């Protein structure tokens, strides 16, 4: 069981400052205003990252992942700051029909448990799909759900959402909808490789890692290229070991 953060005891405060603060938000859909909790940057201390960039926080009680999604308490529309403000034709009406008309007023504006966090991401994934958000955005949401299930030690659900994330990354790569975002081609190919590796598809992983080497000459991507080389060598070693058994 993953502990639910309890900031009321003051254990995680710095000089009496609470780790969480209220951020004012205006819903992209209904335009009503409300607040959502965010973690103050001084409390966000990452000790290391998993190979798929999942952050491991120095203080497990202060997990910024829990608070990336805003859920409008009025209409239920849920989104991250990466969502575009543009709604393609008819998508507003579809969201209002599928989400808002069935929404039971609920607040995610307080401290969140890991279960709360997972629910907010799932809501954002659903809203993002109805809104026809870019594949690269939906991929990031699915990957973060997988991370949360990893923290929760729910292997089956983690793999389920890794598969969803991989499908969206592949769609983003094939359509090029990552262009203009902070996610580079090398990062997408690397993530597709690492997710494939985690799902036990070594052949696909090697293909994607090889594409990182072939397609990227940019010195700014040096760290991604090195990570791909590391995973590639690990896979080769594993395959060699298995063939000798």
């Amino acid at each position: 069981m993953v502990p639910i953060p309890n900031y009321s005891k003051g254990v995680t405060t710095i000089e009496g400052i609470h780790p969480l603060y209220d951020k004012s938000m205006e819903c992209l859909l209904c335009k009503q205003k409300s607040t959502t909790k965010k973690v103050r940057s001084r409390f966000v201390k990452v000790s290391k990252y998993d190979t798929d960039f999942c952050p491991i926080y120095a203080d497990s009680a202060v997990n910024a992942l829990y608070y990336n999604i805003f859920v409008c308490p009025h209409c239920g529309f849920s989104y991250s700051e990466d969502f575009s403000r543009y709604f393609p034709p008819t998508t507003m009406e579809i969201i209002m029909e599928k989400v808002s008309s069935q929404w039971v007023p609920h607040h995610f504006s307080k401290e969140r448990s890991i279960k709360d966090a997972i629910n907010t991401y799932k809501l954002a994934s659903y809203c993002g799909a109805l809104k026809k958000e870019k594949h690269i955005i939906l991929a990031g949401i699915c990957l973060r759900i997988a991370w949360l299930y990893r923290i929760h030690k729910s292997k089956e659900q983690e793999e389920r959402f890794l598969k969803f994330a991989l499908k969206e990354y592949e769609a983003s790569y094939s359509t090029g909808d990552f262009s203009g975002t902070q996610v580079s081609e090398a990062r997408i190919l690397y993530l597709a490789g690492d997710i494939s590796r985690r799902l036990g598809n070594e052949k696909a992983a090697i293909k994607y890692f090889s594409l990182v080497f072939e397609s990227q000459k940019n010195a700014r991507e040096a760290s991604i290229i090195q990570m791909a080389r590391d995973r590639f060598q690990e896979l080769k070693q594993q395959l060699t070991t298995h063939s000798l058994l």
Side-chain angles (χ1 to χ4, degrees):
M1 178 67 71
V2 177
I4 298 174
N6 184 354
Y7 302 122
S8 61
K9 296 179 180 178
V11 176
T12 54
T13 61
I14 297 176
E15 298 176 351
I17 299 174
H18 200 284
L20 302 179
Y21 69 96
D22 289 324
K23 180 176 181 178
S24 296
M25 299 289 289
E26 180 181 270
C27 178
L28 296 181
L29 183 68
C30 72
K31 304 303 181 182
Q32 294 200 61
K33 294 182 179 180
S34 55
T35 62
T36 189
K37 285 282 190 290
K38 301 292 284 187
V39 180
R40 298 182 194 278
S41 59
R42 72 183 71 181
F43 289 90
V44 181
K45 297 179 180 179
V46 179
S47 59
K48 63 178 181 178
Y49 292 91
D50 280 345
T51 56
D52 60 355
F53 306 112
C54 175
I56 309 299
Y57 293 100
D59 184 350
S60 61
V62 184
N63 193 324
L65 283 174
Y66 289 14
Y67 301 96
N68 280 343
I69 303 299
F70 170 64
V71 180
C72 178
H74 306 288
C75 71
F77 184 63
S78 307
Y79 60 96
S80 73
E81 293 180 355
D82 295 323
F83 275 43
S84 71
R85 302 187 70 84
Y86 170 71
F87 285 80
T90 75
T91 56
M92 272 192 171
E93 292 78 8
I94 290 171
I95 294 169
M96 288 176 181
E97 177 189 348
K98 300 284 188 181
V99 178
S100 302
S101 67
Q102 303 178 48
W103 178 248
V104 177
H106 186 78
H107 279 271
F108 284 98
S109 58
K110 302 184 184 298
E111 294 171 15
R112 294 176 182 174
S113 66
I114 193 166
K115 182 178 179 180
D116 291 332
I118 289 170
N119 286 337
T120 65
Y121 278 98
K122 286 182 176 179
L123 284 167
S125 176
Y126 183 53
C127 289
L130 293 176
K131 184 178 177 292
K132 299 181 181 179
E133 197 59 64
K134 287 183 175 183
H135 294 293
I136 193 63
I137 302 302
L138 299 177
I141 290 174
C142 290
L143 182 59
R144 282 158 180 78
I145 297 173
W147 291 349
L148 290 170
Y149 275 122
R150 186 179 307 164
I151 294 169
H152 199 258
K153 302 190 184 305
S154 300
K155 185 69 173 176
E156 183 178 344
Q157 288 299 317
E158 177 192 344
E159 291 185 351
R160 177 175 173 238
F161 281 92
L162 283 176
K163 289 176 183 176
F164 290 150
L166 178 59
K167 181 179 179 181
E168 294 293 346
Y169 278 124
E170 289 174 334
S172 179
Y173 178 66
S174 64
T175 61
D177 78 356
F178 61 90
S179 180
T181 72
Q182 293 183 341
V183 184
S184 67
E185 179 179 302
R187 192 179 182 94
I188 288 178
L189 290 170
Y190 171 80
L191 279 168
D194 194 68
I195 293 171
S196 296
R197 179 185 67 86
R198 287 175 177 272
L199 293 173
N201 191 341
E202 291 88 355
K203 185 177 180 180
I206 289 172
K207 178 191 76 173
Y208 283 120
F209 291 144
S210 297
L211 285 172
V212 176
F213 311 148
E214 294 171 7
S215 64
Q216 295 299 318
K217 307 297 182 184
N218 194 328
R220 289 179 298 179
E221 302 290 344
S223 62
I224 297 288
I225 294 171
Q226 186 56 52
M227 289 176 72
R229 291 189 199 283
D230 292 342
R231 302 292 86 72
F232 185 84
Q233 291 302 321
E234 289 167 5
L235 277 173
K236 282 183 63 178
Q237 186 174 357
Q238 288 174 18
L239 293 172
T240 300
T241 300
H242 289 160
S243 67
L244 294 175
L245 293 178

